């Protein structure tokens, strides 16, 4: 795919998001500190308007990415009540979480290519409307089977927010500006898993489990109205591409055929699996093995989330633009690997009996390093795909959810009396993530370029 050789004026610095100044680099920009410049394609009115309202766009996209974790975690305190109310075994009620997670993973594969063909607004608004309707039915579900079915639909529709939010960022920004924006989104979406269970618990103080879905329905309606009113179309018609399922599959095949894109996708997915292993195992490890109270667990969970968000902000505000994205990503993966190794040594008894404090410290370091790895894998992968951002975003999200879903059950294979499986899964995924980064991305020799997904997608071709 030919690269642009000239730049386009983007407007003044007030159009940048999160205090980031300068113009995005072109679609073929190498990783690392970029230089001002822009791709050759024209900037549509929707893109210009979005940049002029950068803070508002940040909040809207942050809300879209925060809605799925809110949908998952706000519901967690209600699980025991649902079991009794619907007269269903706990294992069946757990499927309501699995169904929502599976829907979020699969929905991204559908919505991403749709947004490359029809633009961002229409698929996003359609997904939000379906989300609202599915969530409202969940609040009225008479049986566990009905609840499982509509939780699946809720996840499928909610995936639109995840995948299109990333695609919109790719439409608006490139290079270091995109990495900064992803770090800002992490600040917003990272708060959601912290506050969601607390909100759910407070809702249950005044109403039953159905009230949680009533609140989520209201949030969905509000977010739909905000998107309809304030989020302009960011993919101009000349950058869209026609084609049905066959074209979407060919586009994804072209993306996966690119070694570097696939490397970043797998690196991000495996890093996300480390996070999923922590989320799945930490309640059991902290409370059952080390005897901490639920309040202590909540405090540690919150501190780890704050660490992830804080390091993500250091990445976006201080490192991006001064240090190459690949170098920061390598640092993050290295710290994750070291923390996972320390956790395995501690939990396997190499240092003798260790208390909760050293293990909690290891988990904090591991989780904080995610703030260096996750935003930069997304940014580096999407920088290679300026003309198929929706499909690329779908592959990134689906890979993360699927790899995380596979890793999560493995943390309990050895029973309830050891934390070794959690550490083994985390260390294995960290090693594989670093191997994919070094073996496929090859940051020391990567040449600039974009993924050749077809001339029809590139108006400059």
């Amino acid at each position: 795919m030919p690269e642009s050789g000239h730049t386009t004026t983007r407007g003044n610095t007030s159009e940048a998001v999160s205090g980031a100044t300068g113009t995005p680099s072109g679609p073929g920009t190498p990783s690392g500190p970029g230089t001002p410049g822009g791709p050759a394609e024209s900037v549509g009115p929707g893109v210009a308007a979005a940049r002029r309202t950068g803070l508002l766009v940040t909040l809207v996209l942050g809300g879209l990415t925060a809605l799925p974790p809110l949908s998952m975690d706000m519901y967690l305190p209600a699980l025991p009540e649902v079991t009794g109310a619907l007269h269903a075994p706990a294992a069946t009620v757990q499927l309501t979480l699995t169904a929502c997670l599976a829907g979020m993973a699969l929905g991204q594969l559908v919505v991403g290519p749709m947004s490359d063909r029809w633009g961002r607004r229409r698929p996003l608004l359609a997904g939000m409307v379906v989300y609202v309707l599915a969530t409202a039915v969940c609040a009225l579900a008479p049986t566990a089977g009905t609840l499982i079915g509509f939780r699946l639909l809720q996840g499928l529709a909610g995936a639109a927010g995840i995948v299109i939010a990333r695609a919109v960022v790719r439409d608006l920004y490139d290079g270091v500006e995109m990495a900064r924006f992803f770090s800002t989104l992490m600040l917003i979406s990272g708060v959601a898993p912290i506050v969601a269970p607390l909100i759910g618990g407070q809702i249950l103080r005044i109403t039953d489990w159905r009230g949680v879905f009533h609140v989520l329905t209201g949030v969905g309606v509000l977010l739909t109205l905000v998107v309809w009113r304030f989020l302009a179309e960011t993919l101009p018609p000349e950058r869209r591409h026609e084609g049905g399922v066959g074209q979407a599959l060919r586009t994804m095949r072209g993306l996966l055929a690119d070694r570097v894109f696939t490397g970043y996708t797998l690196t991000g997915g495996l890093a996300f699996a480390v996070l999923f292993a922590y989320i799945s195992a930490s309640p059991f490890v902290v409370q059952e093995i080390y005897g901490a109270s639920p309040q202590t667990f909540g405090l540690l969970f919150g501190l780890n989330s704050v660490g992830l968000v804080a390091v993500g902000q250091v990445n976006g505000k201080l490192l991006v633009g001064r240090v190459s994205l690949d170098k920061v990503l390598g640092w993050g993966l290295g710290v994750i690997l070291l923390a996972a190794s320390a956790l395995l040594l501690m939990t396997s008894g190499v240092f003798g009996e260790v208390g909760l404090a050293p293990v909690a410290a290891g988990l904090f370091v591991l989780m904080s390093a995610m703030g260096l790895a996750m935003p930069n894998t997304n940014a580096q992968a999407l920088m290679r795909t300026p003309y198929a951002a929706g499909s690329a975003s779908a592959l990134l999200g689906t890979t993360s959810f699927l790899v995380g879903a596979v890793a999560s059950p493995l943390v309990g294979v050895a029973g309830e009396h050891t934390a070794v499986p959690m550490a083994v899964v985390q260390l294995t995924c960290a090693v594989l993530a670093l191997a994919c980064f070094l073996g496929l991305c090859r940051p020391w020799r990567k040449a600039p370029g974009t993924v050749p997904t077809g001339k029809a997608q590139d108006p400059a071709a």
Side-chain angles (χ1 to χ4, degrees):
M1 182 178 293
E3 290 187 11
S4 166
H6 55 280
T7 61
T8 302
T9 302
R10 300 286 186 163
N12 58 38
T13 57
S14 68
E15 296 172 349
V17 176
S18 304
T21 60
T23 52
S25 52
T29 302
S31 63
T35 57
E41 75 262 17
S42 61
V43 177
V47 175
R51 289 207 181 96
R52 283 194 296 271
T53 56
L55 178 60
L56 180 58
V57 171
T58 303
L59 295 176
V60 172
L61 297 182
L64 291 172
T65 55
L67 187 59
L70 283 176
S71 302
M72 292 288 293
D73 296 345
M74 194 185 297
Y75 173 65
L76 292 178
L79 285 178
E81 185 179 336
V82 175
T83 301
L86 298 182
H87 307 289
T92 301
V93 174
Q94 286 285 347
L95 289 177
T96 62
L97 297 176
T98 304
C100 188
L101 183 62
M104 290 178 188
L106 298 176
Q108 295 183 65
L109 289 177
V110 177
V111 178
M114 288 173 58
S115 72
D116 283 337
R117 181 179 181 184
W118 290 301
R120 312 304 185 201
R121 271 179 60 87
R122 284 190 289 175
L124 177 56
L125 288 170
M128 292 303 300
V129 169
V130 174
Y131 172 88
V132 169
L133 295 175
T135 306
V137 175
C138 287
L140 305 173
T143 65
T146 303
L147 183 58
I148 291 171
F150 279 92
R151 283 283 279 176
L152 176 64
L153 183 59
Q154 184 191 40
L156 287 167
I162 305 174
V163 67
I164 293 180
R166 279 195 300 262
V168 168
V169 174
R170 182 61 187 90
D171 294 338
L172 295 176
Y173 296 99
D174 202 348
V176 296
E177 305 298 335
M178 180 164 54
R180 288 191 178 112
F181 202 111
F182 278 127
S183 294
T184 303
L185 285 185
M186 181 172 286
L187 173 63
I188 300 173
S189 60
V191 172
I194 303 174
V195 302
L198 300 177
I199 295 173
Q202 295 304 310
I203 292 172
L204 293 176
R205 291 171 63 92
I206 58 176
T207 183
D208 62 5
W209 66 272
R210 299 181 188 274
V212 174
F213 288 106
H214 288 308
V215 172
L216 286 173
T217 301
V219 172
V221 170
L222 178 61
L223 193 53
T224 302
L225 293 175
V226 171
V227 168
W228 176 76
R229 176 63 180 84
F230 295 109
L231 187 62
E233 177 59 64
T234 59
L235 186 67
E238 63 270 16
R239 290 184 56 194
R240 302 174 194 176
H241 53 86
E242 298 297 327
V245 175
Q247 176 62 40
L249 293 176
R250 285 191 294 273
T251 298
M252 290 186 178
R253 184 176 62 187
L255 292 169
L256 293 175
D258 177 65
R259 170 179 50 81
V260 179
F261 173 82
T262 300
Y264 285 122
T265 300
L266 291 176
T267 299
L270 289 162
F272 200 65
V274 177
L275 175 63
F276 260 60
Y278 160 76
I279 293 173
S280 299
S282 59
F284 161 73
V285 170
V286 173
Q287 296 180 80
E288 298 298 326
I289 296 179
Y290 290 98
S293 66
Q295 291 74 26
T296 300
F297 166 71
L299 176 62
L300 293 176
F301 190 89
L303 285 175
N304 290 339
S305 300
V306 169
L308 187 154
V309 170
V311 173
Q313 293 311 292
V314 171
N315 173 70
K317 304 298 183 183
L318 298 179
L319 298 179
V320 170
R322 295 178 175 88
V323 184
S324 77
L325 299 185
D326 276 331
K327 185 175 291 187
V328 176
L329 174 55
W331 289 348
L333 293 174
V335 173
I336 291 171
L337 181 61
L338 291 175
S341 301
L343 285 168
L344 180 58
L345 293 174
M346 286 188 288
T347 57
S348 60
V350 171
F351 300 134
E353 287 290 332
V354 298
L356 176 60
V359 174
L363 290 172
F364 177 80
V365 172
L366 183 145
M367 287 295 296
S368 298
M370 293 290 176
L372 299 178
M374 291 166 57
N376 293 325
T377 52
N378 284 336
Q380 291 288 67
L382 288 173
M383 270 195 286
R384 297 185 62 81
T385 60
Y387 302 106
S391 296
S393 178
L395 288 173
L396 284 169
T398 300
T399 301
S400 295
F401 276 98
L402 291 181
V403 176
V406 170
S408 294
L410 299 179
V411 300
V413 294
E416 302 179 354
H417 303 290
T418 175
V420 170
M422 177 193 72
V424 169
V425 170
Q426 290 176 329
L427 180 58
T428 301
C429 292
V431 169
L432 291 175
L434 187 59
C436 289
F437 176 58
L438 296 177
L440 296 177
C441 302
R442 302 175 189 174
W444 61 89
R445 56 184 291 186
K446 184 171 79 271
T450 56
V451 180
T453 52
K455 288 186 176 181
Q457 300 170 17
D458 185 350

